[in-house]
Amino acid sequence: MLDVQNLSTVFQVHSHEVTAVDQISFQIPEKTVVGLVGESGSGKSVTSQSILQILPPNGQIKSGQLHWKGQDLMQLSRKELQQIRGKEIGMIFQNPLSALNPVFTIGNQLIETICLHQNTSPKEARKIAASLLKKVNIPDPETRLDDYPHQFSIGMCQRIMIALSIASRPQLLIADEPTASLDVTIQAQILSLLNDLKSELNMSILLISHDLGVIAQHCDHILVMYLGKIVESGSPQDIFKSPLHPYTQALIKSIPIPDPNIKQAPELIKGDIPSPMNLPSGCRFHPRCPEKLSKCEKECPSLNTIKNTHKAACWLY
Amino acid sequence: MRRLSHFLDIKSSLACLFFILLALLAIFVPMIPSLDPNNIDLTQTLVAKPPSLTHLFGTDDLGRDLLIRSIYGARVSLLVGIISMSISLSIGTLVGLLSGYFGGRIDAIIMRVVDLFMAIPTLFLILTIQVLLSPSIYNVMIVIGLTSWMGVSRLVRAEILSIKQRPFISAARARGLPELKLIFKHMLPHSLTPIIVAAMLGMGDAILVESVLSFLGLGVQPPHASWGNMFENSLSFMRDAPWMALIPGTLITLTVLSLNFIGDGIRSMLDPKGHHA
């Protein structure tokens, strides 16, 4: 349904060109949850912003193609793009409190969004808004429509954000770290809500997270990103049972085991993420890689199919 | 109604009351023909008389009632304030919005134009125009409006620049909101607070400028009353008839002050978190 080919997104930072996303390709088929994992700064959010073309002013898609149901998203006019944003592709954000406009009631924002994409009278829109709130489990939806975002808890705000993004029944929902700012019990609520909505509305989800647990539980397909490149992709089975790329292996080893009887400390990846302003040559992971070959410093491996759905970008395979 | 209660602290309510009273008097008193500002009380001429029961604010050196003259003066002052503020606010907001939203080269060009306008000394420009054309209160309003929008546009621009970066704007864009709606519905209300405060201050400034002009004899021409020319008229009688200076002076001060308080009140009313200023 969504086909991303060789997408590169660059930022202008003090006359430097910083490549945040470099030549990535992936597909999101219908009714699937695709997970995108990686450390902070690996380009996950930039990827999602590139899809909807809502990059900050200094960001720009340099090359690549974005195909949405056969349409080239980058060739669309501003108006056509507005028709797709929100209506066919919805998006929820990391910090729900700041993603809602603080000066309007949530009813106002919901009704605005509903009227934008559907032909309804404001009165009907209000009814739809209330039913959306009910769908995301906000108690007493009729009266709460008149409340401002600051009158809700952060978990509720995220549910309102979800209500806003599913208002026009999009076929794809981009969830950019939807649980990053929530505590664990609320995380579970939000994720199960997303899961329910996914089957109810028959939509696909691009779930962006740095939480491997969340990804493992909810995704049909996983993409691992490191410094703007997809280094490995595969089913949860592939990624978690037989990770191929040393980075993925290290990521999985770094998950702490929540058992006081096991005294083994999680293994950390040595070194820091290099600055995207000054990327390493060849494979971007080589300065930190435990299994570095001499080739790794010179040439960048491409993402090759290793087995069925399992792909990795590494010279070891 | 809930929001109104944030507005009604004592300061801004009193200011509002004063302002409304002034406005009502300025609108309705001139409809009564018997209250002529140029009517001379022949029993009181030649020497200005202090406030008394027949003349609550006293009379001036020609025996004209100062209360009625003050009310006619309020008419001029409020009109100048409101009209020039409306002109400067419309231009300033629009320019600021464009500059802040589009940024880059457009912003740079617009801001240089603003700098250019800021370099024009308003008062001298108005003086020149008043001397070249015949002194007219409408020229004053337009010129004040056309030369005082730069502050507003800078405020709006700065506000938009910061709002533009906030996540709820990307979120609204991600929901497919068209740009005009984004600018006017989601960005403008956030910059409303500084705009309103600037509007109130600007209105006060305009009233002051008009007083200065009338004081210099280039604003409202006698025998028409304005606070500025009443004040000018009082200068030669300052020692014998201090009320002649005190009355227009106090009115100017109170009006400008109450405009500032109203600005404060509106600010706390518009704040959704309801902080009292």
Side-chain angles (χ1 to χ4, degrees), chain B residues 8-245:
Chain B
L8 292 173
D9 66 332
I10 190 81
K11 215 170 48 179
S12 33
S13 328
L14 280 179
C16 216
L17 210 67
F18 172 79
F19 196 76
I20 290 172
L21 193 75
L22 200 69
L24 287 178
L25 284 172
I27 294 168
F28 292 110
V29 169
M31 291 179 181
I32 306 166
S34 62
L35 300 175
D36 181 359
N38 296 324
N39 192 27
I40 294 169
D41 184 344
L42 289 172
T43 61
Q44 313 277 337
T45 44
L46 297 176
V47 184
K49 289 282 166 4
S52 65
L53 275 179
T54 41
H55 301 285
L56 282 178
F57 280 11
T59 62
D60 64 4
D61 55 315
L62 295 174
R64 296 179 294 194
D65 184 79
L66 281 178
L67 177 61
I68 297 170
R69 286 188 77 73
S70 298
I71 291 170
Y72 272 77
R75 215 173 149 84
V76 173
S77 292
L78 294 186
L79 209 61
V80 170
I82 289 167
I83 290 183
S84 48
M85 182 265 285
S86 311
I87 297 175
S88 78
L89 212 60
S90 325
I91 302 177
T93 307
L94 204 67
V95 169
L97 277 177
L98 289 178
S99 191
Y101 184 78
F102 290 106
R105 202 163 290 166
I106 297 176
D107 179 37
I109 294 170
I110 292 179
M111 280 301 120
R112 295 300 77 75
V113 174
V114 168
D115 288 344
L116 200 75
F117 267 89
M118 278 195 154
I120 300 173
T122 311
L123 196 60
F124 291 105
L125 181 70
I126 298 172
L127 287 176
T128 317
I129 289 175
Q130 291 292 73
V131 171
L132 290 179
L133 310 170
S134 62
S136 138
I137 198 69
Y138 298 103
N139 289 344
V140 175
M141 294 174 194
I142 293 168
V143 176
I144 295 177
L146 290 181
T147 49
S148 61
W149 52 270
M150 295 81 71
V152 180
S153 76
R154 286 212 158 158
L155 278 175
V156 175
R157 168 182 174 268
E159 206 72 4
I160 295 292
L161 279 180
S162 82
I163 292 164
K164 199 165 69 165
Q165 309 278 346
R166 293 182 53 185
F168 63 82
I169 294 298
S170 337
R173 190 171 284 148
R175 288 200 295 274
L177 252 73
E179 277 187 357
L180 277 180
K181 212 164 185 181
L182 210 59
I183 298 180
F184 285 100
K185 197 184 159 195
H186 285 263
M187 292 185 170
L188 191 57
H190 279 268
S191 43
L192 214 58
T193 315
I195 292 178
I196 287 171
V197 177
M200 292 300 154
L201 287 172
M203 210 163 141
D205 279 347
I207 289 174
L208 285 176
V209 170
E210 183 278 324
S211 307
V212 170
L213 284 177
S214 297
F215 181 79
L216 294 174
L218 288 164
V220 175
Q221 296 301 302
H224 296 298
S226 102
W227 292 343
N229 68 25
M230 283 165 71
F231 195 76
E232 193 262 329
N233 192 30
S234 75
L235 275 190
S236 6
F237 308 98
M238 195 74 104
R239 202 162 280 192
D240 307 313
W243 61 91
M244 277 178 66

Side-chain angles (χ1 to χ4, degrees), chain A residues 52 54 78 82 85-86 89 91 93 98-104 108-109 112-113 116-117 148 150 161 164, chain B residues 2-3 102 164-168 170-179 181 185-186 189-190 272-273:
Chain A
L52 280 180
I54 51 167
R78 207 174 266 184
Q82 280 160 6
R85 291 175 183 157
I89 305 177
M91 183 160 178
F93 292 81
S98 57
L100 291 165
N101 194 333
V103 301
F104 294 118
N108 190 320
Q109 298 182 51
E112 179 187 43
T113 311
L116 197 65
H117 295 302
Y148 288 90
H150 74 269
M161 228 17 245
L164 270 171
Chain B
R2 190 175 44 173
R3 281 173 164 210
F102 290 106
K164 199 165 69 165
Q165 309 278 346
R166 293 182 53 185
F168 63 82
S170 337
R173 190 171 284 148
R175 288 200 295 274
L177 252 73
E179 277 187 357
K181 212 164 185 181
K185 197 184 159 195
H186 285 263
H190 279 268
K273 286 187 181 161

Side-chain angles (χ1 to χ4, degrees), chain A:
Chain A
M1 195 164 47
L2 179 73
D3 186 9
V4 177
Q5 287 298 332
N6 300 321
L7 174 75
S8 294
T9 302
V10 295
F11 284 87
Q12 287 290 337
V13 183
H14 307 300
S15 75
H16 276 281
E17 204 169 72
V18 178
T19 309
V21 170
D22 193 7
Q23 300 270 332
I24 65 165
S25 306
F26 64 92
Q27 285 84 34
I28 302 177
E30 272 174 56
K31 298 178 206 172
T32 44
V33 182
V34 174
L36 192 55
V37 263
E39 288 166 89
S40 327
S42 59
K44 307 180 301 273
S45 296
V46 175
T47 306
S48 65
Q49 289 168 355
S50 301
I51 295 172
L52 280 180
Q53 294 169 45
I54 51 167
L55 289 161
N58 61 340
Q60 194 201 343
I61 298 176
K62 201 181 174 191
S63 63
Q65 269 121 38
L66 294 164
H67 282 284
W68 168 252
K69 297 197 294 186
Q71 277 174 296
D72 189 345
L73 284 181
M74 287 168 62
Q75 302 299 325
L76 292 182
S77 71
R78 207 174 266 184
K79 249 209 173 109
E80 290 167 316
L81 199 60
Q82 280 160 6
Q83 281 300 309
I84 289 183
R85 291 175 183 157
K87 192 172 186 189
E88 297 181 21
I89 305 177
M91 183 160 178
I92 54 180
F93 292 81
Q94 207 173 99
N95 186 348
L97 259 181
S98 57
L100 291 165
N101 194 333
V103 301
F104 294 118
T105 62
I106 57 147
N108 190 320
Q109 298 182 51
L110 274 164
I111 291 167
E112 179 187 43
T113 311
I114 293 163
C115 290
L116 197 65
H117 295 302
Q118 295 164 37
N119 257 332
T120 46
S121 65
K123 220 174 189 179
E124 267 175 86
R126 199 184 154 89
K127 262 187 208 147
I128 300 174
S131 71
L132 279 169
L133 282 192
K134 205 169 170 191
K135 205 176 257 177
V136 295
N137 303 325
I138 303 275
D140 198 11
E142 270 294 331
T143 39
R144 300 238 64 181
L145 276 177
D146 297 319
D147 283 343
Y148 288 90
H150 74 269
Q151 290 166 299
F152 291 89
S153 72
I154 192 156
M156 283 173 128
C157 278
Q158 190 60 291
R159 280 186 265 160
I160 292 162
M161 228 17 245
I162 294 174
L164 270 171
S165 56
I166 60 160
S168 324
R169 300 180 153 260
Q171 288 122 302
L172 173 65
L173 182 67
I174 300 173
D176 187 359
E177 307 209 29
T179 56
S181 51
L182 310 175
D183 64 53
V184 184
T185 45
I186 310 291
Q187 273 188 22
Q189 286 177 14
I190 296 288
L191 289 167
S192 76
L193 174 68
L194 280 179
N195 232 353
D196 295 346
L197 290 171
K198 175 207 146 205
S199 36
E200 194 187 324
L201 302 173
N202 282 325
M203 60 181 181
S204 297
I205 297 180
L206 175 63
L207 182 61
I208 297 170
S209 180
H210 51 240
D211 187 336
L212 288 169
V214 167
I215 294 284
Q217 223 176 355
H218 294 277
C219 298
D220 305 316
H221 192 83
I222 296 172
L223 308 165
V224 183
M225 267 186 106
Y226 182 74
L227 274 180
K229 284 253 182 218
I230 293 180
V231 293
E232 187 164 355
S233 87
S235 65
Q237 197 79 357
D238 297 337
I239 301 283
F240 286 95
K241 287 277 152 56
S242 53
L244 292 174
H245 199 281
Y247 176 65
T248 320
Q249 290 169 358
L251 262 189
I252 291 167
K253 275 187 206 152
S254 69
I255 303 172
I257 304 160
D259 183 346
N261 295 321
I262 297 173
K263 292 274 183 266
Q264 187 195 359
E267 263 179 63
L268 301 177
I269 307 174
K270 64 172 189 191
D272 291 320
I273 298 193
S275 154
M277 304 258 254
N278 186 16
L279 290 169
S281 61
C283 172
R284 290 181 180 180
F285 191 57
H286 87 257
R288 303 171 78 189
C289 184
E291 294 169 69
K292 190 179 87 180
L293 307 172
S294 58
K295 200 178 184 183
C296 299
E297 284 177 43
K298 289 170 211 129
E299 281 174 74
C300 187
S302 56
L303 194 62
N304 292 321
T305 308
I306 311 293
K307 205 173 70 191
N308 299 329
T309 54
H310 203 167
K311 292 182 186 176
C314 184
W315 289 121
L316 289 172
Y317 306 98

